[in-house]
Amino acid sequence: MKGRTSPSREYDVIVVGFGAAGAAASIEAARCGARVLVLDRGYGGGATALSGGIVYAGAGTHEQRVGGYEDSVEDMLAYLRQEVGDAVSEETLRRFCQQSPAMIEWLKAAGVEFRGGKVSSYKTSYPTDDYYLYYSGNEKAHPYARHARPAPRGHRVLAPGMSSGKALFAHLRRTAQESGVDFIPLARVHDLIKDEHGRIAGVRYRKLDLSHRNVRQHALLTRLTGKVGNWLPGLVKGVVGRTERLWAEGAAEGEARGRAVVLAAGGFVHNRAWMQQFAPAFMKVSPLGTAGDDGCGIGLGLAAGGKTDKMGNVTAWRFLAPPSAFLEGLTVGADGQRIANEDLYGATHGDVMMRHFGGIGWAIYDAPTWKKIRDQITDQTQLFQRLQLLYLLTAGHKKAATIEGIARKNGIDTEGLRRTVDAYTNGIISGAGDPARKDPDLCPPMLKGPFYSINISAGSSMFYPIPGLTLGGLVVDEATGEVAHRAGGVVPGLYAAGRNAVGICSNSYVSGLSIADCIFSGRRAGVHAAHRSGCQPAHRER
C-alpha cells in the first residue's frame, strides 16, 4: 500500500494508528461505505506485526473442534470473568465470547490462516511450529481451573518461527488496501480538529514524505531495531534516537478532514514520564511494542475531553517455560517465601512478583530438574527462546551444593528459603501436595544437589528482560467504541480501540487477548463511526 493522500478530499472516517485495531476499524468502516484514511507514525503493523501472532478465541472455533476440544460460550465466559474482572461489563464480555468463533472466521476471510489439531502435551509460553493451538493462559492452573473447564484458546497464525504476527498484519494490510483504504505512513497526529459544534472533524499531523531522502535510511533502521528493541532495548537505544532525528529533519505539516476519528495508536509503555506517574513499580519492565507506544493517541483523547482508567495496569512477562521443566522449580522472593504457583501464565506470575515482591525474585532448581531442562531444549523451544537459554545456562545462573549455599549466593534469606523448600518437598512426599497447588505433574520433590538459581528479577540482565506493555487507556462506550467525555456523554465523532482504550484485557493479560481485543474493539469502532457518518454500503463511491 503506497503512502498517498488527497488534500482536497474529505473523508468519512480517519483512523490514527495502523496495527490490528486500526486495520480492523478501517476495514469495517470501508465495508460500510466510508471513505477511510489511516495515518501511522511508522510503516504500519505496530506492536501486532512484532508480536507472536496469537489470537485468543474460543466458544467452539473450527480449530478447536478439529483438535477434538470442546468449548462453549459459558466455559469461555467463566474463565475470562476471572481474568477480565471489572475491565468491561458482563454484557460486553459475553458478546466478546459469543462473537469469538466468528472473529476467527472474519480473519480467515481476510486471508489469515490458522491450524487446529493436537495441542502440545507440555506447558509453554509460545509453541514450536508443530503446534498452532495451545493453552495460552491460566486455563489449567490454580485457581482458574476450579471455576471453568479448561480449553485451548491460543490460536497462533500459521507462519514459521516468530513471523506469525508479521503474517497476521500482512493480511490485514492487504485487505484494507483492497477495501479502498488510503494510507499515509510516517505521519504523527498532534491535534484533533473540531467543527463549530464541537464535533471532531479531522486531524493535524506531521509526516515524512516517502520521497524524502531520509526515508531509505529511516526504513532500514526501523527494520533493524524492531524485534531487537523489544527483547534487548539497551542495544538499540542509540539507533532509535538516530531514526527519530531522520524523521524530524524532513517532516512537514499536513491536515485531513473527516466526520469521525478512531484513535488506535497503541499504549504508552514508551512514555517514561507517564510510566513513572501511573505505574512506578513497573519502571524496570522492558518496553514491549514500537516507539509509537508513547501515549499519543490517549493524549489526543484527553485533550478532546476524554477520560482514562486502568492506567496503572501493566502486564509484565516473566515467562519461565519453555522448557516446561523450568516450571518444576520454586520461585521465591528475597525473604525466601514462595511468589506463586509456577505454572501460572508468565504475566500473571510476573504481576505478583512486581506488585508484591518489589520486582525481585529467583527460580530455584535441584540437579535432576536442571538436567531435565537441558534435555527438553531441542523439542520444546524456538530459536529466539534458545538464544535466551544460552545466557541462562551459562552466565545467567548460580550453583551451590546446598539450599543454604544457593540462598547465600543470591542474598536470599536462608531460613526463609529452607522453610519454603521443606514445606514444598514434605507436601509432595506426604501426598498432601504442593502448598501452592501447582499441577502435580510439575511437582518433583526438591532433594538432590547441587542446586541452581536464576535471577528472575526485573532488570536482572539485559539478556533476560521482563517485557511489558500498558493495558489502560481511554474509557469508551462499550456498545459503540465512542470516547466517553469526562463531563458526561461522549466526545462526538471520536472513537478509541485497542490499547488506546480500556478493553477486555485491561485488568489482566494472557497471550492473544490483546490482539483479540484489538480486532473486537476495532471492528466495533469502525462500523459505528461509518454509520454515524451517514455511510451505507449500497451508496459507496470509490
Side-chain angles (χ1 to χ4, degrees), residues 435-465:
R437 302 188 184 181
K438 183 165 58 176
D439 185 337
D441 292 339
L442 298 171
C443 291
M446 187 171 288
L447 294 169
K448 186 176 180 181
F451 297 91
Y452 299 82
S453 68
I454 293 172
N455 190 338
I456 62 173
S457 306
S460 63
S461 169
M462 66 180 293
F463 300 108
Y464 194 43

mmCIF file of all heavy atoms in Angstrom, residues 435-465:
data_model
loop_
_atom_site.group_PDB
_atom_site.id
_atom_site.type_symbol
_atom_site.label_atom_id
_atom_site.label_comp_id
_atom_site.label_asym_id
_atom_site.label_seq_id
_atom_site.Cartn_x
_atom_site.Cartn_y
_atom_site.Cartn_z
ATOM 1 N N PRO A 435 1.823 -26.922 48.516
ATOM 2 C CA PRO A 435 1.024 -25.922 49.226
ATOM 3 C C PRO A 435 0.475 -24.833 48.305
ATOM 4 O O PRO A 435 -0.584 -24.261 48.585
ATOM 5 C CB PRO A 435 2.025 -25.337 50.235
ATOM 6 C CG PRO A 435 3.049 -26.398 50.426
ATOM 7 C CD PRO A 435 3.160 -27.093 49.104
ATOM 8 N N ALA A 436 1.179 -24.542 47.186
ATOM 9 C CA ALA A 436 0.712 -23.526 46.247
ATOM 10 C C ALA A 436 -0.210 -24.108 45.177
ATOM 11 O O ALA A 436 -0.680 -23.379 44.308
ATOM 12 C CB ALA A 436 1.899 -22.836 45.582
ATOM 13 N N ARG A 437 -0.416 -25.432 45.234
ATOM 14 C CA ARG A 437 -1.344 -26.123 44.337
ATOM 15 C C ARG A 437 -0.929 -26.085 42.871
ATOM 16 O O ARG A 437 -1.770 -25.971 41.968
ATOM 17 C CB ARG A 437 -2.771 -25.580 44.506
ATOM 18 C CG ARG A 437 -3.291 -25.718 45.930
ATOM 19 C CD ARG A 437 -4.749 -25.358 46.019
ATOM 20 N NE ARG A 437 -5.220 -25.391 47.399
ATOM 21 C CZ ARG A 437 -6.467 -25.142 47.799
ATOM 22 N NH1 ARG A 437 -7.385 -24.853 46.885
ATOM 23 N NH2 ARG A 437 -6.798 -25.191 49.067
ATOM 24 N N LYS A 438 0.342 -26.187 42.634
ATOM 25 C CA LYS A 438 0.826 -26.340 41.267
ATOM 26 C C LYS A 438 0.397 -27.702 40.731
ATOM 27 O O LYS A 438 0.194 -28.653 41.508
ATOM 28 C CB LYS A 438 2.359 -26.191 41.244
ATOM 29 C CG LYS A 438 2.981 -26.249 39.862
ATOM 30 C CD LYS A 438 4.419 -25.749 39.860
ATOM 31 C CE LYS A 438 5.331 -26.513 40.794
ATOM 32 N NZ LYS A 438 6.735 -26.050 40.687
ATOM 33 N N ASP A 439 0.286 -27.814 39.425
ATOM 34 C CA ASP A 439 -0.070 -29.075 38.782
ATOM 35 C C ASP A 439 0.841 -30.191 39.300
ATOM 36 O O ASP A 439 2.071 -30.073 39.253
ATOM 37 C CB ASP A 439 0.119 -28.923 37.266
ATOM 38 C CG ASP A 439 -0.326 -30.141 36.471
ATOM 39 O OD1 ASP A 439 -0.377 -31.247 37.030
ATOM 40 O OD2 ASP A 439 -0.589 -29.979 35.267
ATOM 41 N N PRO A 440 0.279 -31.269 39.825
ATOM 42 C CA PRO A 440 1.095 -32.363 40.381
ATOM 43 C C PRO A 440 2.135 -32.905 39.407
ATOM 44 O O PRO A 440 3.202 -33.374 39.830
ATOM 45 C CB PRO A 440 0.063 -33.428 40.738
ATOM 46 C CG PRO A 440 -1.195 -32.659 40.996
ATOM 47 C CD PRO A 440 -1.164 -31.522 40.024
ATOM 48 N N ASP A 441 1.850 -32.842 38.093
ATOM 49 C CA ASP A 441 2.815 -33.330 37.107
ATOM 50 C C ASP A 441 4.067 -32.464 37.032
ATOM 51 O O ASP A 441 5.067 -32.858 36.422
ATOM 52 C CB ASP A 441 2.165 -33.402 35.721
ATOM 53 C CG ASP A 441 1.095 -34.483 35.633
ATOM 54 O OD1 ASP A 441 1.128 -35.420 36.460
ATOM 55 O OD2 ASP A 441 0.227 -34.383 34.743
ATOM 56 N N LEU A 442 4.019 -31.305 37.650
ATOM 57 C CA LEU A 442 5.150 -30.378 37.634
ATOM 58 C C LEU A 442 5.779 -30.244 39.020
ATOM 59 O O LEU A 442 6.455 -29.255 39.300
ATOM 60 C CB LEU A 442 4.689 -28.992 37.144
ATOM 61 C CG LEU A 442 4.136 -28.923 35.719
ATOM 62 C CD1 LEU A 442 3.526 -27.550 35.448
ATOM 63 C CD2 LEU A 442 5.223 -29.225 34.693
ATOM 64 N N CYS A 443 5.577 -31.250 39.856
ATOM 65 C CA CYS A 443 5.989 -31.149 41.254
ATOM 66 C C CYS A 443 6.898 -32.289 41.714
ATOM 67 O O CYS A 443 6.528 -33.084 42.598
ATOM 68 C CB CYS A 443 4.766 -31.098 42.158
ATOM 69 S SG CYS A 443 3.804 -29.594 42.028
ATOM 70 N N PRO A 444 8.108 -32.401 41.180
ATOM 71 C CA PRO A 444 9.045 -33.370 41.748
ATOM 72 C C PRO A 444 9.589 -32.835 43.078
ATOM 73 O O PRO A 444 9.719 -31.618 43.249
ATOM 74 C CB PRO A 444 10.158 -33.436 40.702
ATOM 75 C CG PRO A 444 10.161 -32.072 40.105
ATOM 76 C CD PRO A 444 8.715 -31.638 40.073
ATOM 77 N N PRO A 445 9.885 -33.688 44.026
ATOM 78 C CA PRO A 445 10.481 -33.186 45.277
ATOM 79 C C PRO A 445 11.850 -32.570 45.011
ATOM 80 O O PRO A 445 12.562 -32.994 44.099
ATOM 81 C CB PRO A 445 10.585 -34.446 46.145
ATOM 82 C CG PRO A 445 10.591 -35.577 45.169
ATOM 83 C CD PRO A 445 9.728 -35.148 44.027
ATOM 84 N N MET A 446 12.178 -31.559 45.789
ATOM 85 C CA MET A 446 13.457 -30.876 45.617
ATOM 86 C C MET A 446 14.420 -31.411 46.680
ATOM 87 O O MET A 446 14.457 -30.946 47.812
ATOM 88 C CB MET A 446 13.277 -29.359 45.747
ATOM 89 C CG MET A 446 14.540 -28.576 45.424
ATOM 90 S SD MET A 446 14.264 -26.781 45.332
ATOM 91 C CE MET A 446 13.342 -26.651 43.806
ATOM 92 N N LEU A 447 15.238 -32.397 46.292
ATOM 93 C CA LEU A 447 16.049 -33.124 47.267
ATOM 94 C C LEU A 447 17.542 -33.156 46.940
ATOM 95 O O LEU A 447 18.390 -33.050 47.845
ATOM 96 C CB LEU A 447 15.548 -34.574 47.372
ATOM 97 C CG LEU A 447 14.139 -34.791 47.937
ATOM 98 C CD1 LEU A 447 13.710 -36.227 47.721
ATOM 99 C CD2 LEU A 447 14.113 -34.433 49.413
ATOM 100 N N LYS A 448 17.881 -33.322 45.683
ATOM 101 C CA LYS A 448 19.248 -33.676 45.331
ATOM 102 C C LYS A 448 20.040 -32.490 44.772
ATOM 103 O O LYS A 448 19.650 -31.872 43.793
ATOM 104 C CB LYS A 448 19.220 -34.810 44.300
ATOM 105 C CG LYS A 448 20.593 -35.374 43.963
ATOM 106 C CD LYS A 448 20.466 -36.550 43.015
ATOM 107 C CE LYS A 448 21.840 -37.142 42.672
ATOM 108 N NZ LYS A 448 21.715 -38.276 41.733
ATOM 109 N N GLY A 449 21.146 -32.179 45.435
ATOM 110 C CA GLY A 449 22.026 -31.126 44.955
ATOM 111 C C GLY A 449 22.949 -31.633 43.856
ATOM 112 O O GLY A 449 22.976 -32.824 43.544
ATOM 113 N N PRO A 450 23.707 -30.745 43.238
ATOM 114 C CA PRO A 450 23.740 -29.311 43.551
ATOM 115 C C PRO A 450 22.458 -28.596 43.131
ATOM 116 O O PRO A 450 21.674 -29.118 42.338
ATOM 117 C CB PRO A 450 24.940 -28.817 42.745
ATOM 118 C CG PRO A 450 25.043 -29.772 41.594
ATOM 119 C CD PRO A 450 24.627 -31.105 42.144
ATOM 120 N N PHE A 451 22.307 -27.388 43.688
ATOM 121 C CA PHE A 451 21.113 -26.585 43.426
ATOM 122 C C PHE A 451 21.486 -25.395 42.543
ATOM 123 O O PHE A 451 22.605 -24.885 42.595
ATOM 124 C CB PHE A 451 20.487 -26.134 44.739
ATOM 125 C CG PHE A 451 20.012 -27.289 45.574
ATOM 126 C CD1 PHE A 451 20.858 -27.877 46.517
ATOM 127 C CD2 PHE A 451 18.749 -27.813 45.401
ATOM 128 C CE1 PHE A 451 20.430 -28.962 47.275
ATOM 129 C CE2 PHE A 451 18.316 -28.902 46.152
ATOM 130 C CZ PHE A 451 19.161 -29.484 47.083
ATOM 131 N N TYR A 452 20.527 -24.973 41.745
ATOM 132 C CA TYR A 452 20.767 -23.926 40.762
ATOM 133 C C TYR A 452 19.745 -22.804 40.963
ATOM 134 O O TYR A 452 18.623 -23.047 41.416
ATOM 135 C CB TYR A 452 20.634 -24.480 39.343
ATOM 136 C CG TYR A 452 21.616 -25.578 39.030
ATOM 137 C CD1 TYR A 452 21.377 -26.900 39.426
ATOM 138 C CD2 TYR A 452 22.789 -25.319 38.323
ATOM 139 C CE1 TYR A 452 22.273 -27.914 39.144
ATOM 140 C CE2 TYR A 452 23.694 -26.325 38.020
ATOM 141 C CZ TYR A 452 23.434 -27.617 38.440
ATOM 142 O OH TYR A 452 24.327 -28.621 38.162
ATOM 143 N N SER A 453 20.137 -21.598 40.599
ATOM 144 C CA SER A 453 19.224 -20.457 40.698
ATOM 145 C C SER A 453 19.332 -19.580 39.463
ATOM 146 O O SER A 453 20.397 -19.458 38.862
ATOM 147 C CB SER A 453 19.542 -19.623 41.940
ATOM 148 O OG SER A 453 20.803 -18.978 41.802
ATOM 149 N N ILE A 454 18.207 -18.971 39.110
ATOM 150 C CA ILE A 454 18.149 -17.965 38.057
ATOM 151 C C ILE A 454 17.518 -16.719 38.668
ATOM 152 O O ILE A 454 16.476 -16.798 39.333
ATOM 153 C CB ILE A 454 17.302 -18.446 36.866
ATOM 154 C CG1 ILE A 454 17.984 -19.607 36.152
ATOM 155 C CG2 ILE A 454 17.052 -17.311 35.881
ATOM 156 C CD1 ILE A 454 17.129 -20.255 35.085
ATOM 157 N N ASN A 455 18.143 -15.583 38.453
ATOM 158 C CA ASN A 455 17.595 -14.321 38.937
ATOM 159 C C ASN A 455 16.491 -13.879 37.970
ATOM 160 O O ASN A 455 16.775 -13.511 36.831
ATOM 161 C CB ASN A 455 18.695 -13.270 39.020
ATOM 162 C CG ASN A 455 18.236 -12.007 39.733
ATOM 163 O OD1 ASN A 455 17.048 -11.716 39.818
ATOM 164 N ND2 ASN A 455 19.185 -11.237 40.247
ATOM 165 N N ILE A 456 15.243 -13.936 38.417
ATOM 166 C CA ILE A 456 14.112 -13.587 37.553
ATOM 167 C C ILE A 456 13.625 -12.164 37.810
ATOM 168 O O ILE A 456 12.564 -11.764 37.330
ATOM 169 C CB ILE A 456 12.950 -14.585 37.726
ATOM 170 C CG1 ILE A 456 12.417 -14.569 39.159
ATOM 171 C CG2 ILE A 456 13.386 -15.984 37.331
ATOM 172 C CD1 ILE A 456 11.164 -15.408 39.364
ATOM 173 N N SER A 457 14.399 -11.386 38.558
ATOM 174 C CA SER A 457 14.007 -10.022 38.902
ATOM 175 C C SER A 457 13.916 -9.136 37.659
ATOM 176 O O SER A 457 14.600 -9.363 36.651
ATOM 177 C CB SER A 457 15.023 -9.400 39.863
ATOM 178 O OG SER A 457 15.228 -10.205 41.001
ATOM 179 N N ALA A 458 13.087 -8.092 37.767
ATOM 180 C CA ALA A 458 13.052 -7.082 36.713
ATOM 181 C C ALA A 458 14.395 -6.366 36.698
ATOM 182 O O ALA A 458 14.922 -5.981 37.735
ATOM 183 C CB ALA A 458 11.931 -6.083 36.974
ATOM 184 N N GLY A 459 14.965 -6.201 35.521
ATOM 185 C CA GLY A 459 16.241 -5.513 35.400
ATOM 186 C C GLY A 459 17.434 -6.335 35.815
ATOM 187 O O GLY A 459 18.533 -5.803 35.984
ATOM 188 N N SER A 460 17.253 -7.663 35.952
ATOM 189 C CA SER A 460 18.368 -8.511 36.392
ATOM 190 C C SER A 460 19.463 -8.598 35.340
ATOM 191 O O SER A 460 20.645 -8.694 35.666
ATOM 192 C CB SER A 460 17.866 -9.917 36.738
ATOM 193 O OG SER A 460 17.307 -10.561 35.594
ATOM 194 N N SER A 461 19.090 -8.568 34.053
ATOM 195 C CA SER A 461 20.069 -8.645 32.978
ATOM 196 C C SER A 461 19.430 -8.197 31.673
ATOM 197 O O SER A 461 18.251 -8.467 31.419
ATOM 198 C CB SER A 461 20.585 -10.076 32.806
ATOM 199 O OG SER A 461 21.346 -10.207 31.617
ATOM 200 N N MET A 462 20.216 -7.516 30.841
ATOM 201 C CA MET A 462 19.711 -7.122 29.533
ATOM 202 C C MET A 462 19.444 -8.334 28.647
ATOM 203 O O MET A 462 18.712 -8.249 27.661
ATOM 204 C CB MET A 462 20.702 -6.188 28.839
ATOM 205 C CG MET A 462 22.031 -6.818 28.474
ATOM 206 S SD MET A 462 23.167 -5.662 27.655
ATOM 207 C CE MET A 462 22.300 -5.387 26.120
ATOM 208 N N PHE A 463 20.031 -9.469 29.002
ATOM 209 C CA PHE A 463 19.824 -10.694 28.234
ATOM 210 C C PHE A 463 18.631 -11.514 28.749
ATOM 211 O O PHE A 463 18.302 -12.540 28.181
ATOM 212 C CB PHE A 463 21.083 -11.553 28.261
ATOM 213 C CG PHE A 463 22.282 -10.875 27.686
ATOM 214 C CD1 PHE A 463 23.321 -10.441 28.491
ATOM 215 C CD2 PHE A 463 22.371 -10.633 26.316
ATOM 216 C CE1 PHE A 463 24.430 -9.804 27.957
ATOM 217 C CE2 PHE A 463 23.464 -9.998 25.766
ATOM 218 C CZ PHE A 463 24.499 -9.578 26.589
ATOM 219 N N TYR A 464 18.002 -11.057 29.846
ATOM 220 C CA TYR A 464 16.859 -11.767 30.410
ATOM 221 C C TYR A 464 15.844 -10.737 30.909
ATOM 222 O O TYR A 464 15.539 -10.653 32.089
ATOM 223 C CB TYR A 464 17.323 -12.670 31.546
ATOM 224 C CG TYR A 464 16.311 -13.698 32.008
ATOM 225 C CD1 TYR A 464 15.548 -14.436 31.103
ATOM 226 C CD2 TYR A 464 16.129 -13.950 33.370
ATOM 227 C CE1 TYR A 464 14.639 -15.379 31.540
ATOM 228 C CE2 TYR A 464 15.223 -14.894 33.819
ATOM 229 C CZ TYR A 464 14.482 -15.606 32.897
ATOM 230 O OH TYR A 464 13.573 -16.556 33.334
ATOM 231 N N PRO A 465 15.319 -9.915 29.980
ATOM 232 C CA PRO A 465 14.419 -8.837 30.382
ATOM 233 C C PRO A 465 13.027 -9.345 30.734
ATOM 234 O O PRO A 465 12.656 -10.481 30.408
ATOM 235 C CB PRO A 465 14.373 -7.957 29.133
ATOM 236 C CG PRO A 465 14.539 -8.933 28.015
ATOM 237 C CD PRO A 465 15.523 -9.966 28.530
#
